[in-house]
Structures are given as structure tokens and as C-alpha cells.
Amino acid sequence: MGGLRTVPATIERLSEVLARIAGVALLGMMLVVCYGVVMRYALRSPVAWANEFARFSFLPVVALGLAYALRHGAHVATEVFTGVLSARARKGLHLLSVTLFVAYGVLSCWAGWRLASIAFAQGLRSDEAEIPLVLVQAVIPIGFLALSLQALVQAGKALRGDARQTRPSNGAHPR
Amino acid sequence: MDWYAFAGLLACLVAVLIVLGVPVAVSLGLTSALFLLGELGLDRTLAVLGTEFFEFWTNYPLIAVPLFILMGEFLFVGGTADDIFDIASKWLQGIRGGLAIVTIGAGAIFGALSGSSLAAVSTFGILALPKLLERGYDKRLAVGAVASAGGLDHLIPPSILMVLYASVTEVSVGKMLMAGFIPGLILAGAFGLVVWGWVWWTPQAAPREPAVSWAERLGVLRKAGVPLLLVLAVLGSIYLGVATATEAAGIGALASLGVAMARRKVTVERLWQGLQHTVQTTAFIMLIAVGGKLLSWVLTYHQIPQRLVDVLVQAEVNRWVLMIAFQLMYIVLGMFIDPVSMIIVTMPVLVPVLTALHFDLIWFGVLLMVNIEMALITPPVGFSLYILKGLAPEDVTFNDVMAGCLIFALADLAVIAILMVFPELVLWLPRTMG
Amino acid sequence: WVPRAESAEPITIKMASYGGPSYPIRIHLETVKEMLEKRSNGRIKVDHYPAESLVKLAKAFDAVIDNVVQIALTSAAYEPKRMAVVAAVANSPWNWDAYKFGEHYREPGSFYDFAAPYFEKNGLKLMSWPNVPHGEVFSSKPIRKLEDFKGKMLRTVSSLKDPLKLLGAEPIFIPTSELFNAIQRGTVDGGTLAISSIFSEKYFEVAPHIQIANLYTGSLPVIMNLKFFNGLPQDMRALVWETFVEADKQYYRRIRQDTTEVINQLKSMKPKVEVYEVPAEELARWKAALKPFYDEMAKTWGADWTRFEKIRETLK
Ligand code: NA
Ligand code: NA
């Protein structure tokens, strides 16, 4: 049973690790944008791949941050209606939310997998740097898989009645 | 199924899920996916989803959003954000709501150099919003002021959306951009009036800044050097053509990191924190945004916006009644589809109609830009709403965000009416270009 | 999703395209839509999604392969991997005469037969290959001689990256949504586009120097899902095919006239706009500068390139 208990912990650690990678991608994006400007403006010798690299690092910033955002209570819901409900009803609705979240995550993961596997099978490459597209697109299924797993962890917490997790809306920017 | 029944069902399902407390991203995305499955089957649905995720999350102009948020993070780490508001506070003493009004003014200035409202809302959301709240501003007033400040960006030239509008309708890009200038200032003024009226109605909504001596006022200007330098780095690089508006976001982030490092306020831990916060907020915003994009895709696929336009166009009514109907239509469309789709889906159908009715396309474009300003803050698909929800402190509820934004939308409506009555406000400036 | 032959039910075809209201190929596809609906007595209904409202030009290839839409305007140049030599020649500089191409490309053994197998291999039917003539350099400062390219930052597409470098310019890739402002602010010096787009999207307002050198021919093939096409009832399949052939002829008649008119209109904007016809002698220098590019093409594509060059003789 001890092994079972570590599964959620492992998933949560995965969410954290992916977010760290996303953070590195973000830093890289910032640097490459500035590098592109310097090369073009100061050295009058623009680099073709700077733009593409910046666009491609945006993808992991988003995709690999999805699970982390969920773990830290982002992904906003409204309180138009849920505020007036009993705790029991709210718990039910919260479970519904999490279930739908998992469904969306799995479907999206599948879609990302389809995309990346086509890119792999056909050996597609990017226009400028000629990076294999599968390397870029693979973060979509990975991100959504982690998101789905994290949603399951949240569901488990909700079932155990962890009050902190059943509170609606918590999309705040941490500071 | 008839198209209006289809559209109604889709809208209802989204609304019900959101009201039930299902996260907005899932309400939008899953509903769209279900309708796609029904129409296209599994394989093609997966194809559409995969393509849209990849397209949207590698969309070049959107990278300005995380970069400006990151800039804000570093400004906080370096203490620069505090400096800026300290100066503003000391110089605005005695004016109730002054900081909110200054935010709107700063929004207009930022808008005069940046071309995207999303970038502007992100910037002001992270910099101004927490400060306004810290000073005791009413949550709704603060959020509304920030959303409005950012929303000015695509009306005041330059503007990516106006360039898009001009290319779809084939009017002069230069004239289109000029046309937005005066209406942009009028709108900024109208937002200022909303703040003023709000504070007049409920004085406790905005505090008076504490009285300070002139010595203190002048003394605080010592702090102005660094912020001024950063403003110059971002806005100056755009103005001088060193960088595009998107690239300026990257320069801003790097420059503010540099300042924070120079002030020896950056540790590895804080750097990580800044990155993680930005990642979290970006992921949150972009998951909702792509859900909105999918919804737009489904509506476009079924040609719902075109059909809506067709119904109106075929109604034989007075041209001004029709014009008002178009504005109402855009308010409804703006709730559900994203600004880019609003322009490229409806304008091809509308151009011949507007031309036949002798309406000026540039003037109409400016009305559309004000409408888009509103679309950014109307639920369920309202990009600014979610950016601000993502950037606001935890005790600001989504209802607060919506309520604050909607009150400022009154100013948008008023300005649309004014521009309809006085089209010269739009057309005078571009005409001077010859 | 493949229409059954025996049913007389209406057939809905989703068609995605690109460009503003006066973009020539968008008009071409509007014509195709009208002709199909009229000729089939309403049995075929075409839903047209213009201006990338449903599918981005760069993703049109996959959207048709996946049958998300059945017909789309696409760009072979976006598919260097899957379109191989066809992508390489499609937007290469001075590739062929746009109008001659229109007259001859469907003849047996000509360009259609050369290109079609590459589409079929990917599950696509090549329906029409409209050319947009006069892909030209436009810039904020004049470019008269080869030397004037030096250091000019020109926004372009991947397929013209190496040629522009050989001419001495610095190719830049920014989205068209930012191009107008970037030229206005001096971030870039201009770009390459079809002259009809320079005109309709008003780039001459900020980059008034247009160099007429016929640098490239914009080729944007129209493709159809092969399985869908083959699954059409026999009579409808023939009707669709013949409609495209006919619309093609109309397109090439119209495009010559329209392009001439656009050039004349731009010329009439003197002195605000300068349309500069690069003299033959100077043009020869530009072409000579690209020799390494063509040598590289020949080396990369071997026999395919030789075949193409032979076909090209009839298209120049
Ligand atoms: Na602006
Ligand atoms: Na909206």
C-alpha cells in the first residue's frame, strides 16, 4: 500500500519538474528574442532562426505549465452559482469539474500524440532551423498527460474531502 | 439542425458548465470538442485539436504575453514597481482615484507604441493591479481600470488588429491607423470619467493618496531614473525601430532582470520564482484562450457569424437601424468568438453591404475596434478577463473581475454612440493625410 | 465521409482559402464555387472559408489530408519535406513565365504531370495551379543596382532566404501582421510579395519603391482530398474536374489583365510611389548572382531537376 500512496506524490513532483523545464524555456525565449534584436540592429546580420526558436519555446512554456497551474490552484472557475450551495453539493460539482478536466486532458493528449506521431513518421522539420517537429510537438501530449494525471490527484483529494481543494475558484497569480 | 438552434445549444452548454463551476478552459474546450466529434468523428476532431494547440501556442505575437508578465515579475523583484507607484502616489496626493486615472493614461501612452491589447493588459495587470489593490482601491474599480487601460492599445495606433482589418477590407492602412487616434483619446477620457463618476458615487472605492510635503515630492524623483530608463528601453526600442512590439517585451524583461541584478536583489531562488509564476499564469491564460479559439473554430465551421450577418443584411430597414443592429451583433459575437475571427469572418460579407449603403469603411473599422475592446471583457470568451483573473491576488473573485469590467464597458457603448453621431471625430485626422 | 455513388443527396464541399477580397486566387475560388453550384444544379454546395478564417495557409496541406476541409488553397513551399522537388521549384526565383505556365502546364508531360504524383503520394489531388505573377522586392529606399541590396533587411519567406542572401540582402522573417509597422519604424527595409498584395495591402504607403524584376512567381496550388475526389459519383467527379480546368483558363485570362492594371495604378501614383523597371542588363547581373543557388538545386535534386528544367523550357 505504501507504493500506492507515493503515486500521487510522484505525479505532483512530475508537475513541478515539468514547470521547471517550462521556466528554462521561458528564460531561453527571453534571451533569444534579445539576441535576435542585437544581431539585427547592432550587427545588421539578422538570424533567421531567432523568431522560430522564440515561437517554439512558447509551446513548452504553456504545455509543460498546465499541470503545475492546476496543482497550484489556477484554471479558474466562476462562483456565479456554486457559492450558494451546500458543501456536499459543491463537492459533487467539484468532482464533475475534475472529471471533465480529465476527459478534456485525455482527448487533448491524444490529439497532441496524433500530431507529433505524424511529424515523426513523415520526418517533418521546421522551416528555419530545420528542427525535427516531433521534438517540439511532443510537449503537447506530455503536457496534457501530466495535466490529466494532476487532475486525478485533485479528484482524489476532493474525494477525501480536503477542504482546501474543494474551494471554488483560485486562479490567483502567486506573489 | 437549424443553425440558430445549433448556435443556441452550443452557447447554452458553455454557459451551463461555467455556471456550474467547471473551469472555463474546460467548458469552452470540451464543449467545442464534443460538437466537433458529432460533426467530424474522432480522427478529424483529433486533427483539428492538435493543429489548433500547435498553431495557437506557437503564435508569434502571443509571446509578448509571457514576456511582459515576466518583465513585471522582475520589476517587483528589483523593487522598481514600488518606485513607480511611490512617485505616482506622492504626485497625485489629494486626487481621489488618481492612481486609477494615471493607469488609464499610462495605458494610452503604452498603446501608442505597442500594437496588441493582450500585451498591454498583461503588462498593466501585473504592474498596476496589485498596487491599486494594495492602496485600498475597490477590487472592481481596480480591475476595470486596468482592463480598460490595456484595451486602449488596439485602438490607438499602432495596432495589429487594425492592420488586419485594413488588409481584409483593403482600406489604406495608414489612414486606418490614424483614424483610431482621436477615438482612442476620447475613449481614454471616457474611462477616466467612469473612474471619476464611480469615486464621486462611492468615495470609499478609491483612497486619497496621503498628503506629503513638496520636499518629499521632489525627493522621490530620485527614484525616477531607473523606471524611466526601463520605459525608454521598451517604448524607445519600438519607437526607434530597434525592435518590433513583440521583441520589445523580451527587451523589457531582460532589462528589468538586469536592474534587479544590479540592485543585488536577485537570488537563484527568486529567479526561479519569477519564472514559475509566469509559467503558471501563462499556462492558465493560454489554456482558456485556446478553448476560446476552438469555440470560434466550431462557430466558423458552421458559418454561424456569416449567417447572422446575412439575416441582418436581408432585413429591409433604415440604414441607421441596420448600423445599430450590426453593433448589437458584434456585442453578441464578441462574447463568443475571438477578435481575429470577428474581423476575418464577418468583414468579407459586410464590405459590399457597407459600401452599398455608403458607410465609410474606416469609420466602421473604428467602431469595430471599440466593439472588440468590449469583446475582450465580455464572458465567456474574453481574453482580458482571464489575464486579469490570472494576475489578480486570490481574494479577487471572477465575479469581481466581470463586474468591474462591465461597468467600464458602459464607456465603450457611449463612445460607439458618440462616434456614430459625430463621424468626423474618426474621419477628420485621416483626411488630413490627403 | 466519402459520398456514396448511388445517393443523389446534395454534396457539401468545404473549401478554405487565403487573402483579402481582391486577392486573385480568392476570386478564382469564388468562381469555382459559383460554377460548381450552378453546373451541378445545386447538387454540389460549396462552403468557402476565405482569408484563413478556418485554416491557416501553412496548415492547409494537413487540413485537406485529414479531410477537415475537402479543398484548399495551399503553398507547396511550406512543405519542403513532403513536396520535395516540387516545393523547391515552386517559389524559386525566375522559375517560369506565369502566363506561359498558365497556357501550357496541363499539357501531357508538362508541369501538371511532373507535380501531381507528389500530391497523390500524400493523399491529395492537384486541382489547379494558379500563379500570382510579379513577386517583387518593395522597399523604403530604392534598389537600382545589385549593390543596393547590400545590408537591406527584407522580410521574406523561407524559399527565398538563400536567393536574397546571394543578392546581398539580409532576409528577415516576421509575421505580416507586424510588417507594416516594422517598415514604418525602420525596423526592416521592405520585403518580397506579389505586386497585387503590395498594392491591395497598401505596403507602398510605407515602402514606396517597387522594383519590377519578376523575381518570382507566387505558386499556390489548389488541392483536394484524393479519397473524397475519387469517392464522388462519376458524373460529379467529371464535373468537378472540368470546372477546375475551365476556371483555370478564366483565371489566367484575368490575371494578366489585372496585374497590368495594378502596375499601371501604382505607376500613376508617381511621385509618391516609384515603380522601377530593372533594365535587362542589370537584371542579368541579378540572375548571375544566383548561380550558386541553381547549382545547389541541381546537385540536390539531380534527375528531378533536369526533368524540371526540360519542362521549364516550354514555360519561359
Ligand atoms: Na496601440
Ligand atoms: Na468576449
Side-chain angles (χ1 to χ4, degrees):
Chain A
M1 289 309 282
L4 251 179
R5 197 169 303 157
T6 62
V7 171
T10 312
I11 290 172
E12 301 215 298
R13 180 160 314 156
L14 175 69
S15 302
E16 297 289 328
V17 170
L18 291 182
R20 287 261 158 155
I21 300 174
V24 174
L26 176 61
L27 203 60
M29 178 163 102
M30 177 188 81
L31 292 174
V32 83
V33 164
C34 296
Y35 176 73
V37 173
V38 169
M39 290 303 286
R40 186 185 60 225
Y41 188 77
L43 304 176
R44 308 266 324 159
S45 150
V47 270
W49 51 264
N51 217 309
E52 183 175 273
F53 189 93
R55 290 198 303 121
F56 284 174
S57 32
F58 184 39
L59 188 66
V61 169
V62 178
L64 301 183
L66 292 171
Y68 180 85
L70 179 63
R71 168 160 152 70
H72 290 271
H75 298 311
V76 65
T78 57
E79 320 79 19
V80 181
F81 171 69
T82 45
V84 299
L85 293 178
S86 68
R88 220 182 122 91
R90 263 154 70 172
K91 193 164 151 185
L93 281 181
H94 182 71
L95 268 180
L96 171 76
S97 289
V98 178
T99 313
L100 295 182
F101 220 123
V102 174
Y104 185 50
V106 169
L107 191 67
S108 303
C109 172
W110 194 354
W113 173 265
R114 184 188 180 281
L115 185 76
S117 58
I118 289 175
F120 178 70
Q122 309 204 0
L124 302 184
R125 283 167 181 273
S126 69
D127 288 344
E128 305 314 332
E130 306 201 358
I131 313 163
L133 276 183
V134 60
L135 294 183
V136 185
Q137 294 176 340
V139 301
I140 301 175
I142 293 171
F144 275 111
L145 179 66
L147 177 68
S148 310
L149 293 173
Q150 184 65 44
L152 284 173
V153 172
Q154 306 295 112
K157 285 179 183 172
L159 273 177
R160 286 201 312 275
D162 185 336
R164 201 174 62 83
Q165 294 299 330
T166 53
R167 193 177 50 198
S169 175
N170 195 353
H173 186 75
R175 180 168 299 118
Chain B
M1 201 189 305
D2 290 321
W3 67 270
Y4 43 87
F6 178 89
L9 192 67
L10 187 61
C12 282
L13 191 54
V14 170
V16 165
L17 288 179
I18 290 178
V19 168
L20 283 179
V22 174
V24 178
V26 179
S27 304
L28 295 172
L30 195 58
T31 306
S32 309
L34 283 179
F35 278 78
L36 280 174
L37 279 170
E39 178 73 23
L40 298 174
L42 180 63
D43 190 58
R44 288 193 279 171
T45 299
L46 295 176
V48 172
L49 289 180
T51 307
E52 290 302 310
F53 290 140
F54 182 62
E55 270 290 288
F56 199 73
W57 293 344
T58 54
N59 185 357
Y60 184 70
L62 279 184
I63 71 173
V65 171
L67 288 175
F68 273 127
I69 295 175
L70 189 62
M71 177 182 83
E73 280 292 335
F74 291 150
L75 286 180
F76 274 101
V77 171
T80 315
D82 296 314
D83 293 348
I84 298 173
F85 277 84
D86 202 18
I87 298 167
S89 155
K90 294 213 160 75
W91 281 83
L92 288 169
Q93 62 160 346
I95 306 167
R96 221 176 252 288
L99 273 185
I101 291 173
V102 163
T103 302
I104 290 166
I109 295 170
F110 189 89
L113 287 158
S114 137
S116 133
S117 282
L118 305 177
V121 171
S122 311
T123 312
F124 285 90
I126 190 155
L127 285 175
L129 187 56
K131 287 292 163 190
L132 289 170
L133 295 170
E134 214 172 81
R135 305 257 164 178
Y137 274 73
D138 180 274
K139 287 182 270 188
R140 298 173 178 205
L141 173 58
V143 170
V146 169
S148 316
L152 288 171
D153 198 329
H154 67 260
L155 189 56
I156 296 177
S159 159
I160 290 177
L161 289 178
M162 277 198 190
V163 172
L164 178 69
Y165 177 88
S167 81
V168 173
T169 58
E170 302 189 344
V171 297
S172 153
V173 181
K175 287 187 179 177
M176 185 69 224
L177 291 171
M178 285 312 273
F181 193 72
I182 294 176
L185 293 184
I186 295 176
L187 192 57
F191 289 144
L193 278 180
V194 171
V195 174
W196 182 81
W198 193 323
V199 173
W200 177 77
W201 188 258
T202 44
Q204 65 274 24
R208 236 181 257 280
E209 295 304 317
V212 290
S213 69
W214 271 100
E216 260 183 277
R217 276 188 172 191
L218 293 172
V220 79
L221 288 182
R222 277 185 298 111
K223 294 185 183 174
V226 171
L228 218 56
L229 211 69
L230 285 171
V231 169
L232 279 182
V234 176
L235 298 187
S237 64
I238 302 174
Y239 183 78
L240 297 174
V242 175
T244 65
T246 309
E247 290 167 336
I251 295 178
L254 186 64
S256 36
L257 176 62
V259 167
M261 284 169 96
R263 292 182 166 180
R264 300 179 182 283
K265 291 198 174 164
V266 183
T267 59
V268 173
E269 198 40 48
R270 297 199 74 171
L271 181 67
W272 270 122
Q273 252 176 30
L275 291 171
Q276 301 297 83
H277 290 173
T278 309
V279 163
Q280 172 177 335
T281 308
T282 305
F284 155 77
I285 294 167
M286 292 301 157
L287 189 63
I288 293 177
V290 84
K293 189 81 193 113
L294 289 173
L295 188 66
S296 290
W297 202 95
V298 173
L299 291 171
T300 305
Y301 186 81
H302 288 92
Q303 301 197 306
I304 308 281
Q306 290 97 315
R307 288 170 202 239
L308 205 56
V309 176
D310 284 340
V311 169
L312 291 185
V313 166
Q314 274 151 25
E316 291 188 14
V317 292
N318 175 285
R319 63 195 275 266
W320 282 102
V321 175
L322 195 60
M323 182 49 61
I324 292 169
F326 286 152
Q327 303 309 316
L328 294 175
M329 172 193 81
Y330 275 121
I331 294 176
V332 174
L333 283 180
M335 291 168 69
F336 294 98
I337 64 177
D338 64 281
V340 171
S341 302
M342 264 169 92
I343 295 172
I344 60 177
V345 170
T346 61
M347 284 322 292
V349 194
L350 276 182
V351 168
V353 180
L354 294 169
T355 313
L357 292 174
H358 303 291
F359 283 115
D360 188 284
L361 284 175
I362 289 185
W363 168 79
F364 188 80
V366 170
L367 293 186
L368 179 54
M369 290 304 139
V370 183
N371 248 307
I372 286 173
E373 155 113 27
M374 234 183 322
L376 289 174
I377 55 174
T378 51
V381 179
F383 218 173
S384 297
L385 283 181
Y386 301 110
I387 292 181
L388 290 176
K389 177 62 188 131
L391 292 173
E394 204 171 320
D395 61 326
V396 178
T397 66
F398 189 61
N399 293 359
D400 290 330
V401 175
M402 279 195 295
C405 287
L406 290 179
I407 288 170
F408 278 84
L410 293 176
D412 290 310
L413 291 175
V415 168
I416 290 177
I418 291 172
L419 298 180
M420 282 170 84
V421 179
F422 304 107
E424 275 302 291
L425 292 172
V426 177
L427 296 174
W428 174 73
L429 198 56
R431 205 169 40 233
T432 61
M433 289 171 67
Chain C
W1 50 270
V2 173
R4 271 175 303 162
E6 67 269 23
S7 83
E9 274 173 40
I11 301 162
T12 303
I13 299 177
K14 308 266 180 190
M15 176 168 84
S17 78
Y18 159 89
S22 72
Y23 188 64
I25 306 182
R26 172 165 166 183
I27 299 170
H28 173 49
L29 290 178
E30 288 290 349
T31 315
V32 166
K33 170 185 155 81
E34 275 166 34
M35 285 168 74
L36 280 177
E37 290 179 344
K38 200 164 159 208
R39 289 175 164 204
S40 69
N41 288 320
R43 252 193 91 192
I44 293 179
K45 189 179 168 298
V46 180
D47 290 339
H48 184 198
Y49 303 92
E52 301 186 292
S53 51
L54 193 71
V55 175
K56 291 261 184 292
L57 186 61
K59 298 287 165 199
F61 208 75
D62 282 306
V64 178
I65 291 175
D66 294 333
N67 205 30
V68 171
V69 293
Q70 286 72 50
I71 299 178
L73 179 62
T74 182
S75 171
Y78 286 139
E79 295 294 339
K81 183 81 192 176
R82 291 182 283 191
M83 285 286 104
V85 66
V86 177
V89 304
N91 287 326
S92 64
W94 295 293
N95 49 1
W96 51 63
D97 178 287
Y99 309 123
K100 269 264 176 67
F101 182 98
E103 278 168 42
H104 298 297
Y105 85 101
R106 284 187 193 267
E107 287 167 3
S110 188
F111 191 77
Y112 184 93
D113 290 343
F114 175 74
Y118 291 90
F119 290 93
E120 284 192 20
K121 211 170 57 190
N122 285 290
L124 300 167
K125 174 100 184 156
L126 175 60
M127 302 306 285
S128 161
W129 189 295
N131 278 328
V132 186
H134 280 289
E136 306 291 14
V137 173
F138 60 102
S139 49
S140 46
K141 291 190 199 85
I143 296 174
R144 297 270 162 83
K145 295 198 298 288
L146 188 57
E147 289 71 23
D148 296 337
F149 275 106
K150 182 113 190 82
K152 289 271 188 313
M153 300 206 208
L154 301 175
R155 186 266 175 194
T156 192
V157 288
S158 304
S159 51
L160 290 175
K161 181 173 75 177
D162 295 335
L164 279 183
K165 274 193 173 157
L166 287 170
L167 288 172
E170 295 289 353
I172 279 189
F173 306 90
I174 56 171
T176 43
S177 61
E178 295 198 344
L179 180 56
F180 190 92
N181 284 318
I183 300 174
Q184 199 169 31
R185 296 268 175 225
T187 316
V188 304
D189 300 309
T192 60
L193 275 177
I195 199 151
S196 54
S197 301
I198 299 173
F199 179 69
S200 66
E201 296 180 22
K202 312 286 186 279
Y203 287 109
F204 61 85
E205 290 178 0
V206 284
H209 299 279
I210 302 161
Q211 281 61 234
I212 303 281
N214 233 326
L215 179 66
Y216 68 99
T217 300
S219 334
L220 294 101
V222 179
I223 51 176
M224 189 163 183
N225 183 289
L226 184 62
K227 221 163 155 188
F228 184 91
F229 179 78
N230 288 335
L232 285 169
Q234 179 106 53
D235 55 333
M236 289 296 115
R237 201 187 321 155
L239 186 141
V240 169
W241 179 251
E242 280 152 22
T243 300
F244 268 100
V245 173
E246 177 58 33
D248 231 31
K249 286 184 189 145
Q250 289 187 23
Y251 172 81
Y252 275 105
R253 270 201 297 276
R254 206 173 45 233
I255 191 69
R256 184 194 286 264
Q257 207 178 328
D258 289 357
T259 310
T260 316
E261 198 175 307
V262 162
I263 294 179
N264 287 337
Q265 285 210 41
L266 284 167
K267 280 181 176 167
S268 72
M269 292 178 189
K270 223 167 141 182
K272 272 189 174 170
V273 178
E274 186 211 38
V275 179
Y276 178 72
E277 309 249 8
V278 182
E281 212 174 301
E282 181 61 28
L283 203 54
R285 291 181 67 218
W286 295 19
K287 289 184 182 175
L290 292 200
K291 189 169 181 305
F293 174 76
Y294 293 113
D295 290 348
E296 182 65 32
M297 288 274 263
K299 210 173 101 197
T300 312
W301 300 108
D304 288 333
W305 176 256
T306 320
R307 231 184 103 209
F308 167 72
E309 285 215 296
K310 199 170 260 171
I311 292 171
R312 183 160 71 158
E313 288 307 306
T314 64
L315 306 175
K316 274 199 150 172

